[in-house]
Amino acid sequence: MICQNCSKNQSNYHFTKIINGNKTEYHLCEACAREKGDIVQGPGNSFSIHNLLSGMLNIEFGANVSKVRAAETRCGTCGLSFNQFKKQGRFGCADCYEAFGTQLDPVIRRVQQNNTLHAGKSPYPRTTENDAKPSLASQLAALEEELQAEIRNERYERAAVLRDRINNLRQQLAGDGQGFSGSSSANVTSKQWPHFHAEEGE
Amino acid sequence: MKRFTEDALSDWMRQPGPEHDVVISSRVRLARNLRTFPFPSLATKAHAQEVMQLVSTAADTSSLKEEQNFTSVPMSQLSILEKKLLVEKHLISPHLAEGNSEAAALINASESISIMVNEEDHLRIQCIAPGFQLNETWQAANRIDNQLQEQLDYAFNERLGYLTSCPTNVGTGIRVSVMVHLPGIVLTNQLQNILKSFAQWGVVMRGMYGEGSEALGNIYQMSNQITLGQSEEALVDLLTRATQQLILVEREARNGILNDRRLPLLDKIFRSFGTLLYAQMIDKVEAAQRLSDVRLGVDLGLLEQVPHVILDELLVVTQPGYLQQMEGRLMDDFEINLRRAQLIRERLWKHLR
Ligand SMILES: [Zn+2]
Ligand SMILES: [Zn+2]
């Protein structure tokens, strides 16, 4: 579909608004939505790109919203409700992803062209059993390769950090292999949750 | 801090990059968040300050410090014009410039790396390089990310990857992009078809400058649409292949015009050159179009006296933020147009003597 504003580009943002029972559809390209500094003047009303995104989400949910009682789901950590999320198109904190659970799936599918699973890098060794976890040996090989590159480039401080991690892994390999979680994952679980909550009301 | 707002040209722009006749620059951006803090939209002032502290400490204590001498640029200490200029130099995003004051950018000396703190996400790691260097740019961003993640507790889950404020960035959090000059494709009316076929591959293109729909100066930004379900390398590869394709089509279009419509093309290029050499007032739209013509002339070897690097500098010099920052005050359009024409004349004549 072609953008209604410039009649040139392909429209990426589709937006439905119901005013006094009249349904109006907007189709805008990213350039038109973005380049006016986040604000686009629609016929008779204005909306921001965040509203555009949430408009997109609303189409996805449409009449189902009340059935799944989306309004009642709230993130226990930051206090953001699923409705608020849909309105702003932004999460409040990392825990929102867990809190909104399966209600999120269609949203993610919609904006990520039906993809649902991460396939990229990870900040720590995988611990979930279902996940194909890289073997200690292959992690070790990767780290050693990285180490050689750092030494070639004379980046010794970073090389020292890698060497320590390699030594840790070697010890694990020598041991029973149970202690897979490594130092960084241990780090994660030992951290305490601070209590923060959304300050603004609905 | 002043040095970032003094020069129009970042150091990284001084060396012409590979395929610079079509690709102006390559950029990789990674979105990251800290697990134990609300995202910037919900963060209190205290949260935001703590995040800034944690990130600058991480940049300071990790092996990063040895390689990159970051300068912390707090948004609260910049004027509106200074922020505008940093946006025009692509060192910060409009969102960071317009957003809350508890935000900062860590910028290295050559201005090729900028770590934005408390943008839409806690961290936006951005690396930029001249010309077509996507792989190199990704390697640089990845190294910085690896070094920071040894110090910081990133929000990550096994299923969805790096958790971001907006669902359009979740997963890898990566945006791989190139800024390209496409006068040949535009003149031969091929843009719409290219946009359509790239969209099917998950590659999106938009005008880089200008308001509304108009792509000023035939300059476009092309980037990946999705961030989930593909590895970083796969997305870098996708953009690499799309860019290679674009370079081929653009060069072919230029050669076609040069063969079939040589004289009208020469006329267009030299008229624009003449206008830029003598105009007393010029608005942003006309300046962008004339500069695009001259850039095409330089890249086709028709205007050998104009060094390529000047064209990149003029991209920034002709922007309203830079013009007003140089003047040290807000100006109206009339004054801006006068000043723009003057600076363009000065830059171009310097190389004709
Ligand atoms: Zn448009
Ligand atoms: Zn939350």
Side-chain angles (χ1 to χ4, degrees):
Chain A
M1 196 164 302
I2 297 299
C3 170
Q4 285 179 331
N5 191 49
C6 63
S7 320
K8 264 172 88 179
N9 299 332
Q10 182 114 2
S11 57
N12 302 326
Y13 290 93
H14 311 287
F15 181 83
T16 309
K17 195 142 205 166
I18 298 168
I19 303 158
N20 300 331
N22 294 319
K23 193 171 141 191
T24 321
E25 287 188 338
Y26 300 95
H27 306 281
L28 296 178
C29 71
E30 188 171 357
C32 285
R34 195 159 294 198
E35 283 186 0
K36 295 213 168 187
D38 266 5
I39 301 291
V40 177
Q41 292 297 328
N45 63 330
S46 66
F47 44 85
S48 73
I49 194 162
H50 291 196
N51 293 338
L52 282 174
L53 177 66
S54 66
M56 201 162 92
L57 307 183
N58 273 320
I59 288 176
E60 185 62 47
F61 285 91
N64 293 333
V65 166
S66 52
K67 281 184 207 151
V68 295
R69 299 172 68 82
E72 288 175 6
T73 314
R74 222 168 241 284
C75 170
T77 308
C78 73
L80 191 81
S81 73
F82 189 65
N83 257 358
Q84 283 173 309
F85 162 68
K86 283 200 305 159
K87 211 183 279 173
Q88 331 165 342
R90 295 293 182 277
F91 296 103
C93 75
D95 283 357
C96 289
Y97 282 89
E98 281 296 320
F100 300 151
T102 53
Q103 291 177 66
L104 220 47
D105 291 352
V107 178
I108 302 274
R109 278 178 190 280
R110 169 91 191 208
V111 298
Q112 297 287 349
Q113 295 183 347
N114 258 338
N115 287 289
T116 52
L117 283 177
H118 178 53
K121 68 184 282 196
S122 157
Y124 44 77
R126 288 166 190 272
T127 49
T128 315
E129 275 150 34
N130 306 344
D131 269 89
K133 48 184 177 187
S135 68
L136 283 182
S138 74
Q139 280 185 57
L140 197 56
L143 278 176
E144 271 166 352
E145 200 175 300
E146 209 179 324
L147 174 65
Q148 290 313 314
E150 299 297 354
I151 291 172
R152 269 198 308 278
N153 291 312
E154 300 181 7
R155 296 189 280 232
Y156 299 115
E157 202 168 314
R158 165 117 180 114
V161 174
L162 290 173
R163 190 199 52 219
D164 290 347
R165 281 170 58 190
I166 288 169
N167 285 340
N168 274 339
L169 272 181
R170 283 223 177 91
Q171 280 168 16
Q172 284 180 45
L173 255 181
D176 57 8
Q178 250 326 64
F180 183 69
S181 50
S183 59
S184 43
S185 317
N187 215 352
V188 166
T189 45
S190 69
K191 285 226 167 131
Q192 289 299 309
W193 274 104
H195 293 283
F196 49 75
H197 277 276
E199 283 170 345
E200 303 87 340
E202 184 70 44
Chain B
M1 185 157 89
K2 272 281 168 273
R3 68 178 207 242
F4 302 121
T5 54
E6 251 162 23
D7 236 324
L9 202 60
S10 298
D11 272 351
W12 67 263
M13 284 164 75
R14 286 178 203 279
Q15 295 297 321
E19 327 294 347
H20 68 259
D21 57 324
V22 179
V23 186
I24 298 170
S25 61
S26 303
R27 189 152 41 143
V28 166
R29 180 221 76 190
L30 300 173
R32 298 289 185 259
N33 285 285
L34 304 186
R35 187 181 299 268
T36 54
F37 290 89
F39 294 155
S41 66
L42 278 191
T44 61
K45 202 170 166 172
H47 285 136
Q49 283 169 344
E50 205 176 329
V51 170
M52 284 203 288
Q53 192 56 50
L54 280 170
V55 175
S56 51
T57 307
D60 234 27
T61 52
S62 71
S63 44
L64 262 179
K65 191 177 166 61
E66 172 193 33
E67 297 158 31
Q68 308 290 351
N69 203 0
F70 285 111
T71 304
S72 173
V73 182
M75 290 304 114
S76 59
Q77 288 180 28
L78 296 179
S79 70
I80 293 171
L81 286 178
E82 285 170 325
K83 285 192 239 183
K84 213 169 166 166
L85 171 55
L86 293 185
V87 172
E88 289 166 0
K89 291 176 80 177
H90 307 298
L91 285 172
I92 63 173
S93 64
H95 190 280
L96 195 78
E98 290 156 16
N100 77 57
S101 58
E102 306 306 319
L106 305 176
I107 303 173
N108 72 342
S110 74
E111 303 180 8
S112 63
I113 305 169
S114 166
I115 302 171
M116 287 176 261
V117 188
N118 292 330
E119 211 251 19
E120 183 182 291
D121 295 296
H122 291 142
L123 288 94
R124 288 278 175 100
I125 303 164
Q126 175 192 283
C127 291
I128 188 162
F132 185 25
Q133 303 194 61
L134 281 177
N135 208 32
E136 293 80 355
T137 314
W138 149 243
Q139 301 290 349
N142 190 30
R143 281 197 81 252
I144 291 165
D145 184 45
N146 285 342
Q147 286 164 304
L148 287 175
Q149 85 185 10
E150 280 161 14
Q151 310 284 326
L152 298 170
D153 185 13
Y154 279 161
F156 178 88
N157 96 28
E158 301 279 334
R159 199 166 56 84
L160 287 171
Y162 293 92
L163 304 177
T164 52
S165 178
C166 180
T168 56
N169 292 314
V170 75
T172 55
I174 198 173
R175 198 68 62 194
V176 187
S177 62
V178 284
M179 186 160 117
V180 285
H181 183 226
L182 306 176
I185 286 173
V186 172
L187 279 170
T188 52
N189 291 319
Q190 297 182 78
L191 190 66
Q192 287 313 313
N193 283 340
I194 290 175
L195 284 181
K196 254 183 239 161
S197 65
F198 277 179
Q200 290 165 4
W201 291 88
V203 173
V204 287
M205 235 201 283
R206 64 180 180 95
M208 189 73 199
Y209 295 103
E211 271 137 52
S213 54
E214 215 51 47
L216 288 188
N218 301 317
I219 294 176
Y220 292 83
Q221 177 169 280
M222 182 165 80
S223 59
N224 57 305
Q225 169 128 49
I226 62 158
T227 52
L228 186 69
Q230 295 197 50
S231 70
E232 292 84 355
E233 285 81 6
L235 291 169
V236 170
D237 189 53
L238 173 69
L239 261 292
T240 300
R241 281 180 291 128
T243 307
Q244 285 165 343
Q245 194 66 35
L246 206 56
I247 292 171
L248 283 180
V249 178
E250 173 61 25
R251 284 183 185 155
E252 204 177 300
R254 289 180 191 180
N255 286 332
I257 303 166
L258 206 52
N259 286 331
D260 305 343
R261 291 177 264 163
R262 186 177 176 87
L263 289 177
L265 180 68
L266 288 185
D267 182 60
K268 183 177 163 70
I269 289 168
F270 282 97
R271 268 172 189 278
S272 287
F273 191 42
T275 300
L276 293 178
L277 285 174
Y278 290 102
Q280 299 297 304
M281 295 177 72
I282 192 163
D283 66 25
K284 193 173 154 178
V285 176
E286 184 180 359
Q289 186 52 52
R290 303 285 184 198
L291 283 168
S292 171
D293 293 343
V294 169
R295 182 182 280 266
L296 179 61
V298 171
D299 288 330
L300 288 173
L302 303 168
L303 278 173
E304 277 165 4
Q305 60 272 58
V306 181
H308 200 278
V309 66
I310 286 226
L311 299 167
D312 294 330
E313 188 182 6
L314 284 174
L315 279 183
V316 176
V317 166
T318 51
Q319 302 295 318
Y322 177 84
L323 291 166
Q324 295 175 88
Q325 172 62 22
M326 286 308 98
E327 207 61 23
R329 64 186 171 87
L330 288 163
M331 298 190 285
D332 59 24
D333 282 353
F334 184 87
E335 287 180 294
I336 288 177
N337 293 346
L338 273 174
R339 194 87 181 95
R340 179 183 289 117
Q342 186 199 341
L343 286 180
I344 293 173
R345 288 198 311 271
E346 282 173 11
R347 293 289 197 288
L348 290 178
W349 278 108
K350 207 162 61 184
H351 295 273
L352 295 180
R353 303 244 155 79

